[in-house]
Amino acid sequence: ETGVTQSPTHLIKTRGQQVTLRCSSQSGHNTVSWYQQALGQGPQFIFQYYREEENGRGNFPPRFSGLQFPNYSSELNVNALELDDSALYLCASSRVAGENNEQYFGPGTRLTVT
Amino acid sequence: AQSVTQPDIHITVSEGASLELRCNYSYGATPYLFWYVQSPGQGLQLLLKYFSGDTLVQGIKGFEAEFKRSQSSFNLRKPSVHWSDAAEYFCAVGTMEYGNKLVFGAGTILRVKS
């Protein structure tokens, strides 16, 4: 069983640029969630996608957007990057059914905005 | 709104000593509770979860946690700490509602001294 993978591992961008982060869900999972983890903090929920539709969103501005594809891989796009967007971005996949709804996390993408 | 408090930012224990990491949550309905561990530069690994039933749950790596509804707590324990347990630990509360998301505490950094 393949786990959750993310790419790239590290990324450096300049303020004002746009970035795309990618996530491949664990086999059999149709839900993906994205989290932002700033240095020294716990992860914060950005949004979730279920069957290619946004299924809940945290307190993040519209310049954070996402996509989920038919194969359940996912992208997180951030436009007009700000210095405060520097963080570890985690994606997590899960099944949406019953009690077995734990989320499996990928290793993350470390984004640095200069 | 859901919230999670981990009162201890750092904890240092001697190898072989017992460990308890505190977690308090705020949530109006029956919570789903999780403990995750994060090693430096890594993603999150699930240690254990509580959905319902027995309030003492066993996890991986010898960890256990006890759900106490009256105290809104879900403390993590381990009887004998190993040097490899040094990491950051996150408590999280989740829901089974539409847009299932996890709300994380700020984390507790565990240091193990030999």
Side-chain angles (χ1 to χ4, degrees), chain A residues 27-100:
Chain A
S27 176
H29 290 183
N30 58 17
T31 301
V32 66
S33 302
W34 285 91
Y35 293 82
Q36 181 196 64
Q37 186 179 15
L39 197 62
Q41 298 182 23
Q44 285 194 293
F45 177 74
I46 303 174
F47 44 56
Q48 182 182 87
Y49 278 80
Y50 170 62
R51 293 185 175 176
E52 304 176 55
E53 298 286 332
E54 189 176 289
N55 187 47
R57 188 177 184 94
N59 189 26
F60 281 81
R63 60 188 185 84
F64 285 78
S65 63
L67 283 172
Q68 187 183 31
F69 300 100
N71 66 355
Y72 302 130
S73 65
S74 174
E75 288 182 355
L76 165 65
N77 299 289
V78 187
N79 294 321
L81 284 166
E82 300 177 0
L83 296 179
D84 285 348
D85 295 334
S86 295
L88 180 68
Y89 288 85
L90 299 164
C91 80
S93 71
S94 60
R95 296 188 186 93
V96 182
E99 289 193 353
N100 188 20

Side-chain angles (χ1 to χ4, degrees), chain A residues 33 35 37 40-45 48 54-56 88 90 94 97-108, chain B residues 32 34 36 38 41-46 49 51-52 88 90 95-107:
Chain A
S33 302
Y35 293 82
Q37 186 179 15
Q41 298 182 23
Q44 285 194 293
F45 177 74
Q48 182 182 87
E54 189 176 289
N55 187 47
L88 180 68
L90 299 164
S94 60
E99 289 193 353
N100 188 20
N101 200 22
E102 60 187 84
Q103 298 186 24
Y104 295 81
F105 284 82
Chain B
Y32 296 92
F34 306 82
Y36 285 87
Q38 186 177 40
Q42 303 295 313
L44 298 169
Q45 181 183 23
L46 180 68
K49 61 189 178 187
F51 283 170
S52 64
E88 189 160 18
F90 292 94
T95 76
M96 293 293 284
E97 295 169 349
Y98 191 78
N100 176 54
K101 68 177 184 181
L102 295 174
V103 175
F104 286 86

